Amino acid sequence: MAARSYRFLRRTLAVGCLLAAAALPATRPVAPLAARTDATDATDAPQPTVLRMLQLNLCNSGRAGCYTGRAMARATEVITNEAPDLVTLNEICAGDLSALHGVFQTVHPGRTVVAAFQAAGDRPSGDDTRCRNGQRFGIGLLTHVPTPATPSTVYAGTHPTQDLADPEERAWLCVDADGVLLACTTHLSATGYRVALSQCDHLLDTILPAISRDAGYEPTVLGGDLNLRAGHDPDVRSCTPSGHQRIDDGRLQHITATSDITLCCRTLVPMHGATDHPGLLATLTIDPSRPGRRPA
């Protein structure tokens, strides 16, 4: 099963890049670098990279009971007010990513915004799941880099384990940019908690290590609605690798990070009923001197 998933990872890399290119003008998806420190101290020691990360589940398909039609307006307010360097997005339509790209660019003038989108599959049709407005439905990611020439790579795919009672096939998405961070998001099964745990295990234990082996290690962060909780059965902590840090919104949204990233300053951002999840905001400090960091 792992071999099949890895073959799918490699096959869908090109697809992920095409999806990313379609999401914004002449730009490809990537990871956030706004608060990066470029100068070195007197000893030329590498400096930490500090980033603000925001996880949002917008419930914006138009089909779910949590849909209000107000999530995009509130997401615009939150991104404008908080100015995160990385935004992971769940339950969005493809057009939502394009709209939020413009908002993100406004709060990061002079930077190149990178956006990526991955649609959830639709098992009955063999096509993508669609929002009520006909757009593809799935997950997305926004970040920024110094220039359009900054290298970036998109990885995306569908989890090999799915709840066969649910027509929506859950997906995952990662962007590696500028050799600083591998940023990922996913929205796991909501109809089968054991399925969600299997998807979480496979993503963190198989897919992400496979990317590291193939492309070279980078500090890695995952934000998403995992539909798993800490202290419940099954427990989200059982799929979090040893040494990883994790924060959550007290319910189903989580941010996990490898040991060379410090997670700090967890904040729940009210969405005022526009969606059924709060925003989850955290500060990431990527320390190049901590274990797990790839040598420069």
Side-chain angles (χ1 to χ4, degrees), residues 183-203:
C184 303
T185 188
T186 191
H187 181 212
L188 301 184
S189 175
T191 53
Y193 296 124
R194 296 292 173 186
V195 174
L197 184 65
S198 177
Q199 292 170 343
C200 181
D201 278 333
H202 192 263
L203 179 59

Side-chain angles (χ1 to χ4, degrees), residues 42 73 133 234:
N133 61 14

Side-chain angles (χ1 to χ4, degrees), residues 60-62 74 84 91 151 154 186 193 196 198 255 267:
N60 210 40
S61 71
R74 180 57 184 154
E91 295 196 51
V154 180
T186 191
Y193 296 124
S198 177
I255 296 174
T267 302

Side-chain angles (χ1 to χ4, degrees), residues 169-253:
E169 296 184 322
R170 304 301 173 116
W172 58 271
L173 170 69
C174 295
V175 176
D176 181 9
D178 200 25
V180 172
L181 181 71
L182 181 68
C184 303
T185 188
T186 191
H187 181 212
L188 301 184
S189 175
T191 53
Y193 296 124
R194 296 292 173 186
V195 174
L197 184 65
S198 177
Q199 292 170 343
C200 181
D201 278 333
H202 192 263
L203 179 59
L204 290 170
D205 292 342
T206 302
I207 294 175
L208 299 189
I211 293 173
S212 293
R213 287 194 303 269
D214 191 53
Y217 175 81
E218 295 295 346
T220 301
V221 64
L222 168 69
D225 181 353
L226 304 186
N227 278 307
L228 295 166
R229 302 188 188 209
H232 287 241
D233 182 22
D235 195 316
V236 68
R237 292 172 295 187
S238 67
C239 70
T240 305
S242 176
H244 281 49
Q245 296 186 60
R246 184 191 59 81
I247 62 170
D248 60 46
D249 65 356
R251 296 184 66 249
L252 305 177
Q253 293 184 114

Side-chain angles (χ1 to χ4, degrees), residues 21-265:
L24 53 141
T27 317
R28 306 202 344 165
V30 79
L33 304 175
R36 184 181 186 174
T37 303
D38 292 321
T40 56
D41 61 18
T43 63
D44 290 329
Q47 300 298 300
T49 299
V50 181
L51 309 169
R52 300 184 80 227
M53 177 178 179
L54 175 67
Q55 156 63 25
L56 293 172
N57 182 326
L58 297 185
C59 189
N60 210 40
S61 71
R63 298 180 181 276
C66 52
Y67 174 75
T68 66
R70 296 183 284 109
M72 281 293 290
R74 180 57 184 154
T76 296
E77 293 174 349
V78 171
I79 291 172
T80 300
N81 293 338
E82 300 294 345
D85 301 298
L86 168 64
V87 182
T88 49
L89 296 159
N90 298 160
E91 295 196 51
I92 61 169
C93 305
D96 298 338
L97 185 70
S98 299
L100 293 177
H101 168 273
V103 178
F104 198 75
Q105 182 69 80
T106 298
V107 298
H108 295 292
R111 307 284 291 188
T112 296
V113 174
V114 181
F117 178 84
Q118 174 66 18
D122 178 65
R123 186 178 303 103
S125 69
D127 195 1
D128 296 332
T129 296
R130 298 283 170 170
C131 294
R132 188 171 62 181
N133 61 14
Q135 295 178 9
R136 292 172 300 145
F137 171 78
I139 56 178
L141 188 149
L142 287 165
T143 188
H144 58 89
V145 291
T147 71
T150 303
S152 60
T153 305
V154 180
Y155 304 86
T158 303
H159 293 286
T161 301
Q162 299 286 338
D163 183 354
L164 298 182
D166 182 6
E168 180 188 336
E169 296 184 322
R170 304 301 173 116
W172 58 271
L173 170 69
C174 295
V175 176
D176 181 9
D178 200 25
V180 172
L181 181 71
L182 181 68
C184 303
T185 188
T186 191
H187 181 212
L188 301 184
S189 175
T191 53
Y193 296 124
R194 296 292 173 186
V195 174
L197 184 65
S198 177
Q199 292 170 343
C200 181
D201 278 333
H202 192 263
L203 179 59
L204 290 170
D205 292 342
T206 302
I207 294 175
L208 299 189
I211 293 173
S212 293
R213 287 194 303 269
D214 191 53
Y217 175 81
E218 295 295 346
T220 301
V221 64
L222 168 69
D225 181 353
L226 304 186
N227 278 307
L228 295 166
R229 302 188 188 209
H232 287 241
D233 182 22
D235 195 316
V236 68
R237 292 172 295 187
S238 67
C239 70
T240 305
S242 176
H244 281 49
Q245 296 186 60
R246 184 191 59 81
I247 62 170
D248 60 46
D249 65 356
R251 296 184 66 249
L252 305 177
Q253 293 184 114
H254 303 264
I255 296 174
T256 69
T258 48
S259 61
D260 41 12
I261 300 175
T262 299
L263 295 179
C264 170
C265 316

